[in-house]
Amino acid sequence: MLTLENIYLTFNPNTANEKVALNGVSLQLEKGDFVTVIGSNGAGKSTMLNAVAGTYMTDSGKISLDGEDITNMPNHKRAKHMGRLFQDPLKGTAPNMTIEENLALSYGRGTRRGFGIGVRKSDEKFYKETLSRLGLGLEDRLKTKVGLLSGGQRQALTLLMATIVTPKLLLLDEHTAALDPVTAKKVMDLTNSIVAENNITTLMVTHNISDALNTGNKTILMSGGKIVLVLEGEERKNMTVEKLMKLYSDTANDAFSDKMIL
Amino acid sequence: MQYLTLGLGSIEQGLIYAILALGVFVSLRVLDIPDLTVDGSFVTGAAVSVMFTQLQEPLGGGILFPVLSLIMAFLAGAITGIITGLLHTRLKVPALLAGILTMTGLYSINLIIMGDKPTVSINGMNNIFTPFMDMVGSDAVSRKLAIIPVILVVLLITTLALVWFLRTQKGMALRATGDNEEMVKASSINADNMKVLGLAVANGIVALSGAVLAQDQNFADAKSGVGTVVVGIASIIIGETIFGKRSIINNIVSAILGAIVYRIFISIVLQLGLPASYFKLLSALIVVIAICVQVTGEKIARKKVRRANKKC
Ligand SMILES: Nc1ncnc2c1ncn2[C@@H]1O[C@H](COP(=O)(O)OP(=O)(O)O)[C@@H](O)[C@H]1O
Ligand SMILES: [Mg+2]
């Protein structure tokens, strides 16, 4: 489904600020895989997702999606097949446009935008139904500007937008980290049900170790721009939050002491 | 009588600059790009319009050429916008600089269009107003009353076309590009192409207003572009401050009314004895003052919200 082969990515090459963010990352996701990604700050988790989405082009290596080589495809073209959420709830929606306009924009993903009317009356019922599953009452506020919604509401809306046209791949980068615990749980539950319902292949970065173990079917641990641990099957079943926490902080300390030596 | 003429005159001018304000609105507010191409594309519109209107001398055709000249001006303006857009998106030139580069180049291009003459007159030829002028008397008031409806029609067509466009899928993608570019890319839209399209539409409309002004004045002046963008911005900000900016329609109506208020204000100040040479300074000051009013208004509104939140 998604294959990363030996990806390297360096920021500010040949300058004093040179930073190797991805240092030979290889990863294989099968159709329907839900992979959670953990790792300390600066491990390269976001950069890996950015490389997959095409926000940054890689220095070397190969990325393919569903058998198609997308290594050099610009990000708006990759977006046809990918839904994406960030930590910042403001990133995924257009604040000065209404809820229905935002939905209509994402509903057109992968199609050519022509001179047809932007928000079709015939789609309104569908938008309302889709919104009502959030349980936030947004279905009655189609004409409300998104900028007036709370962070949690916006993130929930972004999740709907990212999946309104079922993507081949869903990229989630700590998408509940900026929300209060109750809202975070709600958005996480919603994520699980949408992903399960549509069998969407998903890559989710999280700082919550128990979320990482309890959601999805695989967990990877990143450190220093590398994938240092892949947990799946029996090994993952037998893993506890405490043990994983220990592994996690060991790699974090390694990365830290590496820096100290430098 | 003198005041009536003056009043009608500033409405006439206001309606022409309302078209300009619509164009500047597309770049400044919809795309969130302060586009300086405007100072050049406004004149391009005027230049193309007079040169095309002149074709009636050898070819005849009544008001066919004057009317077609408006469409030609729009297309020429759109091309200037595309140039700025390509400089900005393909060569990654910052938007302000891209606009300045196009504007500077257009100074020469406009002279070339006008056959290397600083001004070109179409006095005595048919213009878009001719059939209506023929219907009324030759006194100043009647003439203005014949001109104003024609400008209104051009403004109305432009407004309706713009409102329609901004509600299409393309128009919606354009608005989103100015609102949240990342989100637009995530919706598999090429944001760069949207910027080029938006700048084309914006400068097309700006050139159209330049063309209508040239038809109104019966000449084009290669130097007349300086400060045009400021006039457009002033109209938008005055409109927003007085008439609000709650929705896209509200925004557009505000820009139109803002342009008219601005013109009336300018003519009053000039009437009060301010020398015409202070005109550009006045335009710039109005923008600064209107921005001050806007910023203060927003501060007060935010304080109110904070106080209301505390009460909860
Ligand atoms: N746009 C950028 N420019 C320069 N350095 C960057 C950029 N983005 C990330 N980095 C650096 O790359 C490394 C990996 O960052 P990131 O992938 O964001 O880590 P995280 O695992 O916390 O998401 C960090 O050292 C970060 O400072
Ligand atoms: Mg990160």
Side-chain angles (χ1 to χ4, degrees), chain B residues 249-294:
Chain B
I249 308 263
N250 182 192
N251 272 322
I252 285 176
V253 172
S254 291
I256 293 171
L257 296 179
I260 296 168
V261 169
Y262 170 81
R263 259 312 124 175
I264 292 173
F265 177 78
I266 292 276
S267 71
I268 289 174
V269 174
L270 292 179
Q271 195 58 30
L272 289 177
L274 190 83
S277 48
Y278 284 70
F279 179 75
K280 302 275 186 226
L281 177 62
L282 189 62
S283 310
L285 280 178
I286 289 175
V287 174
V288 175
I289 293 167
I291 290 177
C292 285
V293 172
Q294 241 183 12

Short mmCIF file of all heavy atoms in Angstrom, two decimals, chain B residues 249-294:
data_model
loop_
_atom_site.label_atom_id
_atom_site.label_comp_id
_atom_site.label_asym_id
_atom_site.label_seq_id
_atom_site.Cartn_x
_atom_site.Cartn_y
_atom_site.Cartn_z
N ILE B 249 -20.84 38.87 0.11
CA ILE B 249 -21.72 39.86 -0.54
C ILE B 249 -21.60 41.19 0.19
O ILE B 249 -21.46 42.25 -0.42
CB ILE B 249 -23.19 39.40 -0.50
CG1 ILE B 249 -23.32 37.98 -1.06
CG2 ILE B 249 -24.09 40.39 -1.21
CD1 ILE B 249 -23.71 37.87 -2.48
N ASN B 250 -21.64 41.12 1.51
CA ASN B 250 -21.49 42.32 2.33
C ASN B 250 -20.16 43.01 2.00
O ASN B 250 -20.08 44.23 1.81
CB ASN B 250 -21.55 41.91 3.81
CG ASN B 250 -21.45 43.10 4.77
OD1 ASN B 250 -21.27 42.91 5.96
ND2 ASN B 250 -21.57 44.33 4.26
N ASN B 251 -19.10 42.23 1.91
CA ASN B 251 -17.78 42.74 1.55
C ASN B 251 -17.79 43.50 0.23
O ASN B 251 -17.23 44.59 0.11
CB ASN B 251 -16.79 41.58 1.41
CG ASN B 251 -16.14 41.23 2.73
OD1 ASN B 251 -15.84 42.10 3.53
ND2 ASN B 251 -15.94 39.96 2.96
N ILE B 252 -18.43 42.89 -0.76
CA ILE B 252 -18.43 43.47 -2.10
C ILE B 252 -19.23 44.76 -2.12
O ILE B 252 -18.79 45.78 -2.67
CB ILE B 252 -18.96 42.43 -3.11
CG1 ILE B 252 -17.87 41.38 -3.35
CG2 ILE B 252 -19.40 43.09 -4.41
CD1 ILE B 252 -18.27 40.24 -4.24
N VAL B 253 -20.41 44.74 -1.49
CA VAL B 253 -21.23 45.95 -1.43
C VAL B 253 -20.48 47.06 -0.68
O VAL B 253 -20.48 48.22 -1.09
CB VAL B 253 -22.59 45.65 -0.76
CG1 VAL B 253 -23.36 46.94 -0.53
CG2 VAL B 253 -23.40 44.69 -1.62
N SER B 254 -19.79 46.68 0.41
CA SER B 254 -19.03 47.66 1.18
C SER B 254 -17.95 48.32 0.32
O SER B 254 -17.73 49.53 0.39
CB SER B 254 -18.36 47.00 2.38
OG SER B 254 -19.33 46.61 3.31
N ALA B 255 -17.26 47.52 -0.48
CA ALA B 255 -16.20 48.07 -1.33
C ALA B 255 -16.77 49.09 -2.31
O ALA B 255 -16.21 50.17 -2.52
CB ALA B 255 -15.50 46.94 -2.09
N ILE B 256 -17.92 48.77 -2.89
CA ILE B 256 -18.56 49.67 -3.85
C ILE B 256 -18.96 50.98 -3.16
O ILE B 256 -18.62 52.08 -3.61
CB ILE B 256 -19.80 49.01 -4.48
CG1 ILE B 256 -19.36 47.83 -5.36
CG2 ILE B 256 -20.62 50.01 -5.27
CD1 ILE B 256 -20.50 46.97 -5.86
N LEU B 257 -19.67 50.84 -2.04
CA LEU B 257 -20.11 52.04 -1.32
C LEU B 257 -18.91 52.83 -0.80
O LEU B 257 -18.92 54.06 -0.81
CB LEU B 257 -21.05 51.65 -0.18
CG LEU B 257 -22.36 51.00 -0.62
CD1 LEU B 257 -23.21 50.63 0.60
CD2 LEU B 257 -23.15 51.93 -1.54
N GLY B 258 -17.89 52.12 -0.36
CA GLY B 258 -16.68 52.77 0.13
C GLY B 258 -16.05 53.66 -0.94
O GLY B 258 -15.61 54.78 -0.66
N ALA B 259 -16.03 53.18 -2.16
CA ALA B 259 -15.46 53.95 -3.27
C ALA B 259 -16.24 55.23 -3.48
O ALA B 259 -15.66 56.30 -3.73
CB ALA B 259 -15.45 53.11 -4.54
N ILE B 260 -17.56 55.14 -3.37
CA ILE B 260 -18.39 56.33 -3.60
C ILE B 260 -18.21 57.33 -2.45
O ILE B 260 -18.03 58.53 -2.68
CB ILE B 260 -19.87 55.91 -3.76
CG1 ILE B 260 -20.00 55.05 -5.03
CG2 ILE B 260 -20.78 57.13 -3.85
CD1 ILE B 260 -21.31 54.32 -5.17
N VAL B 261 -18.23 56.83 -1.22
CA VAL B 261 -18.01 57.70 -0.06
C VAL B 261 -16.67 58.42 -0.19
O VAL B 261 -16.56 59.62 0.03
CB VAL B 261 -18.05 56.89 1.26
CG1 VAL B 261 -17.57 57.73 2.43
CG2 VAL B 261 -19.45 56.37 1.52
N TYR B 262 -15.66 57.64 -0.57
CA TYR B 262 -14.31 58.20 -0.71
C TYR B 262 -14.30 59.35 -1.71
O TYR B 262 -13.75 60.42 -1.46
CB TYR B 262 -13.36 57.08 -1.15
CG TYR B 262 -12.00 57.54 -1.56
CD1 TYR B 262 -11.02 57.82 -0.62
CD2 TYR B 262 -11.68 57.68 -2.91
CE1 TYR B 262 -9.77 58.24 -1.00
CE2 TYR B 262 -10.43 58.09 -3.31
CZ TYR B 262 -9.47 58.37 -2.35
OH TYR B 262 -8.23 58.79 -2.73
N ARG B 263 -14.95 59.14 -2.87
CA ARG B 263 -14.99 60.18 -3.91
C ARG B 263 -15.71 61.42 -3.40
O ARG B 263 -15.27 62.55 -3.62
CB ARG B 263 -15.77 59.66 -5.11
CG ARG B 263 -14.98 59.19 -6.28
CD ARG B 263 -13.92 60.12 -6.71
NE ARG B 263 -12.68 59.36 -6.69
CZ ARG B 263 -11.51 59.81 -7.10
NH1 ARG B 263 -11.39 61.03 -7.56
NH2 ARG B 263 -10.46 59.05 -7.02
N ILE B 264 -16.83 61.22 -2.74
CA ILE B 264 -17.61 62.36 -2.24
C ILE B 264 -16.75 63.13 -1.23
O ILE B 264 -16.66 64.36 -1.30
CB ILE B 264 -18.93 61.88 -1.59
CG1 ILE B 264 -19.84 61.31 -2.68
CG2 ILE B 264 -19.61 63.01 -0.84
CD1 ILE B 264 -21.11 60.66 -2.17
N PHE B 265 -16.10 62.39 -0.36
CA PHE B 265 -15.24 63.02 0.64
C PHE B 265 -14.14 63.85 -0.03
O PHE B 265 -13.93 65.02 0.30
CB PHE B 265 -14.62 61.93 1.53
CG PHE B 265 -13.66 62.47 2.56
CD1 PHE B 265 -14.13 63.07 3.72
CD2 PHE B 265 -12.29 62.39 2.36
CE1 PHE B 265 -13.25 63.57 4.66
CE2 PHE B 265 -11.41 62.88 3.30
CZ PHE B 265 -11.89 63.48 4.45
N ILE B 266 -13.47 63.25 -1.01
CA ILE B 266 -12.40 63.95 -1.72
C ILE B 266 -12.93 65.24 -2.37
O ILE B 266 -12.31 66.30 -2.27
CB ILE B 266 -11.78 63.04 -2.81
CG1 ILE B 266 -11.03 61.87 -2.19
CG2 ILE B 266 -10.87 63.85 -3.73
CD1 ILE B 266 -9.63 62.16 -1.77
N SER B 267 -14.09 65.15 -3.00
CA SER B 267 -14.57 66.34 -3.71
C SER B 267 -14.98 67.43 -2.74
O SER B 267 -14.82 68.61 -3.02
CB SER B 267 -15.69 65.98 -4.69
OG SER B 267 -16.86 65.67 -3.97
N ILE B 268 -15.46 67.01 -1.56
CA ILE B 268 -15.79 68.03 -0.55
C ILE B 268 -14.52 68.74 -0.10
O ILE B 268 -14.45 69.97 -0.05
CB ILE B 268 -16.49 67.39 0.68
CG1 ILE B 268 -17.90 66.94 0.30
CG2 ILE B 268 -16.55 68.38 1.85
CD1 ILE B 268 -18.62 66.16 1.40
N VAL B 269 -13.48 67.96 0.18
CA VAL B 269 -12.23 68.55 0.66
C VAL B 269 -11.63 69.49 -0.40
O VAL B 269 -11.17 70.58 -0.09
CB VAL B 269 -11.22 67.45 1.05
CG1 VAL B 269 -9.88 68.05 1.40
CG2 VAL B 269 -11.76 66.64 2.22
N LEU B 270 -11.68 69.04 -1.64
CA LEU B 270 -11.15 69.90 -2.71
C LEU B 270 -12.00 71.17 -2.83
O LEU B 270 -11.48 72.26 -3.03
CB LEU B 270 -11.13 69.14 -4.05
CG LEU B 270 -10.12 67.98 -4.12
CD1 LEU B 270 -10.20 67.28 -5.49
CD2 LEU B 270 -8.69 68.45 -3.86
N GLN B 271 -13.31 71.00 -2.66
CA GLN B 271 -14.23 72.13 -2.74
C GLN B 271 -13.94 73.14 -1.64
O GLN B 271 -14.07 74.34 -1.82
CB GLN B 271 -15.67 71.60 -2.60
CG GLN B 271 -16.73 72.57 -3.01
CD GLN B 271 -16.56 73.01 -4.46
OE1 GLN B 271 -16.04 72.27 -5.28
NE2 GLN B 271 -16.96 74.24 -4.75
N LEU B 272 -13.49 72.61 -0.48
CA LEU B 272 -13.20 73.49 0.65
C LEU B 272 -11.92 74.27 0.43
O LEU B 272 -11.52 75.07 1.28
CB LEU B 272 -13.09 72.67 1.94
CG LEU B 272 -14.43 72.11 2.46
CD1 LEU B 272 -14.20 71.25 3.71
CD2 LEU B 272 -15.40 73.24 2.76
N GLY B 273 -11.22 74.01 -0.66
CA GLY B 273 -10.08 74.84 -1.00
C GLY B 273 -8.73 74.16 -0.91
O GLY B 273 -7.69 74.81 -1.06
N LEU B 274 -8.71 72.86 -0.64
CA LEU B 274 -7.42 72.17 -0.61
C LEU B 274 -6.88 72.09 -2.04
O LEU B 274 -7.58 71.67 -2.94
CB LEU B 274 -7.58 70.76 -0.03
CG LEU B 274 -6.27 70.04 0.25
CD1 LEU B 274 -5.72 70.47 1.60
CD2 LEU B 274 -6.46 68.53 0.21
N PRO B 275 -5.60 72.51 -2.24
CA PRO B 275 -5.04 72.47 -3.60
C PRO B 275 -5.00 71.04 -4.12
O PRO B 275 -4.76 70.10 -3.36
CB PRO B 275 -3.63 73.01 -3.42
CG PRO B 275 -3.59 73.65 -2.08
CD PRO B 275 -4.64 73.03 -1.25
N ALA B 276 -5.23 70.87 -5.40
CA ALA B 276 -5.30 69.54 -6.00
C ALA B 276 -3.99 68.77 -5.84
O ALA B 276 -3.97 67.55 -5.86
CB ALA B 276 -5.66 69.65 -7.47
N SER B 277 -2.90 69.52 -5.64
CA SER B 277 -1.61 68.85 -5.52
C SER B 277 -1.52 68.00 -4.24
O SER B 277 -0.68 67.13 -4.13
CB SER B 277 -0.48 69.88 -5.54
OG SER B 277 -0.78 70.94 -4.66
N TYR B 278 -2.41 68.26 -3.28
CA TYR B 278 -2.39 67.50 -2.03
C TYR B 278 -3.16 66.18 -2.14
O TYR B 278 -3.27 65.42 -1.19
CB TYR B 278 -3.00 68.33 -0.89
CG TYR B 278 -2.07 69.39 -0.38
CD1 TYR B 278 -1.77 70.50 -1.14
CD2 TYR B 278 -1.48 69.27 0.88
CE1 TYR B 278 -0.91 71.47 -0.68
CE2 TYR B 278 -0.62 70.23 1.35
CZ TYR B 278 -0.33 71.34 0.56
OH TYR B 278 0.52 72.29 1.03
N PHE B 279 -3.72 65.96 -3.32
CA PHE B 279 -4.65 64.87 -3.53
C PHE B 279 -4.10 63.50 -3.13
O PHE B 279 -4.71 62.74 -2.38
CB PHE B 279 -5.08 64.88 -5.00
CG PHE B 279 -6.01 63.80 -5.37
CD1 PHE B 279 -7.35 63.85 -5.01
CD2 PHE B 279 -5.56 62.71 -6.10
CE1 PHE B 279 -8.20 62.84 -5.36
CE2 PHE B 279 -6.43 61.70 -6.45
CZ PHE B 279 -7.75 61.77 -6.08
N LYS B 280 -2.87 63.17 -3.60
CA LYS B 280 -2.29 61.84 -3.29
C LYS B 280 -1.99 61.70 -1.80
O LYS B 280 -2.20 60.64 -1.21
CB LYS B 280 -1.00 61.63 -4.09
CG LYS B 280 -1.18 61.72 -5.59
CD LYS B 280 -1.62 60.41 -6.19
CE LYS B 280 -1.63 60.53 -7.70
NZ LYS B 280 -2.80 60.01 -8.35
N LEU B 281 -1.49 62.79 -1.21
CA LEU B 281 -1.21 62.78 0.23
C LEU B 281 -2.49 62.49 1.00
O LEU B 281 -2.52 61.67 1.92
CB LEU B 281 -0.62 64.12 0.66
CG LEU B 281 -0.34 64.26 2.16
CD1 LEU B 281 0.67 63.24 2.63
CD2 LEU B 281 0.14 65.67 2.49
N LEU B 282 -3.55 63.15 0.55
CA LEU B 282 -4.84 62.96 1.19
C LEU B 282 -5.28 61.50 1.09
O LEU B 282 -5.72 60.89 2.08
CB LEU B 282 -5.87 63.89 0.53
CG LEU B 282 -7.22 64.00 1.20
CD1 LEU B 282 -7.07 64.58 2.59
CD2 LEU B 282 -8.16 64.86 0.37
N SER B 283 -5.12 60.91 -0.11
CA SER B 283 -5.51 59.50 -0.29
C SER B 283 -4.77 58.61 0.69
O SER B 283 -5.37 57.74 1.34
CB SER B 283 -5.18 59.03 -1.71
OG SER B 283 -5.68 59.93 -2.65
N ALA B 284 -3.46 58.82 0.78
CA ALA B 284 -2.66 57.98 1.67
C ALA B 284 -3.09 58.17 3.12
O ALA B 284 -3.23 57.20 3.87
CB ALA B 284 -1.18 58.31 1.51
N LEU B 285 -3.34 59.44 3.50
CA LEU B 285 -3.75 59.72 4.88
C LEU B 285 -5.08 59.06 5.22
O LEU B 285 -5.27 58.53 6.31
CB LEU B 285 -3.84 61.23 5.11
CG LEU B 285 -2.51 61.93 5.37
CD1 LEU B 285 -2.71 63.43 5.53
CD2 LEU B 285 -1.83 61.34 6.61
N ILE B 286 -6.00 59.08 4.24
CA ILE B 286 -7.31 58.46 4.49
C ILE B 286 -7.14 56.99 4.79
O ILE B 286 -7.77 56.44 5.71
CB ILE B 286 -8.24 58.68 3.27
CG1 ILE B 286 -8.65 60.15 3.19
CG2 ILE B 286 -9.48 57.79 3.38
CD1 ILE B 286 -9.46 60.49 1.98
N VAL B 287 -6.26 56.32 4.04
CA VAL B 287 -6.04 54.89 4.30
C VAL B 287 -5.51 54.69 5.71
O VAL B 287 -6.00 53.83 6.46
CB VAL B 287 -5.05 54.29 3.27
CG1 VAL B 287 -4.71 52.85 3.64
CG2 VAL B 287 -5.67 54.33 1.88
N VAL B 288 -4.53 55.54 6.09
CA VAL B 288 -3.95 55.40 7.43
C VAL B 288 -5.03 55.61 8.50
O VAL B 288 -5.15 54.82 9.44
CB VAL B 288 -2.79 56.40 7.63
CG1 VAL B 288 -2.28 56.36 9.06
CG2 VAL B 288 -1.66 56.11 6.65
N ILE B 289 -5.82 56.66 8.31
CA ILE B 289 -6.86 56.95 9.31
C ILE B 289 -7.89 55.83 9.37
O ILE B 289 -8.25 55.36 10.45
CB ILE B 289 -7.56 58.30 8.98
CG1 ILE B 289 -6.56 59.45 9.17
CG2 ILE B 289 -8.78 58.50 9.88
CD1 ILE B 289 -7.02 60.76 8.58
N ALA B 290 -8.31 55.35 8.19
CA ALA B 290 -9.32 54.28 8.18
C ALA B 290 -8.78 53.03 8.85
O ALA B 290 -9.50 52.34 9.58
CB ALA B 290 -9.74 53.97 6.74
N ILE B 291 -7.48 52.73 8.63
CA ILE B 291 -6.90 51.56 9.29
C ILE B 291 -6.88 51.76 10.80
O ILE B 291 -7.20 50.86 11.57
CB ILE B 291 -5.48 51.27 8.75
CG1 ILE B 291 -5.57 50.76 7.32
CG2 ILE B 291 -4.76 50.25 9.62
CD1 ILE B 291 -4.25 50.50 6.65
N CYS B 292 -6.54 53.00 11.24
CA CYS B 292 -6.56 53.30 12.67
C CYS B 292 -7.94 53.03 13.25
O CYS B 292 -8.07 52.39 14.29
CB CYS B 292 -6.21 54.77 12.92
SG CYS B 292 -4.47 55.12 12.73
N VAL B 293 -8.96 53.51 12.55
CA VAL B 293 -10.33 53.32 13.03
C VAL B 293 -10.64 51.82 13.12
O VAL B 293 -11.18 51.34 14.12
CB VAL B 293 -11.34 54.01 12.09
CG1 VAL B 293 -12.77 53.66 12.48
CG2 VAL B 293 -11.13 55.52 12.13
N GLN B 294 -10.24 51.07 12.08
CA GLN B 294 -10.50 49.63 12.06
C GLN B 294 -9.82 48.92 13.23
O GLN B 294 -10.43 48.13 13.94
CB GLN B 294 -10.00 49.03 10.75
CG GLN B 294 -11.11 48.41 9.95
CD GLN B 294 -10.62 47.74 8.68
OE1 GLN B 294 -9.42 47.53 8.48
NE2 GLN B 294 -11.54 47.39 7.84
#
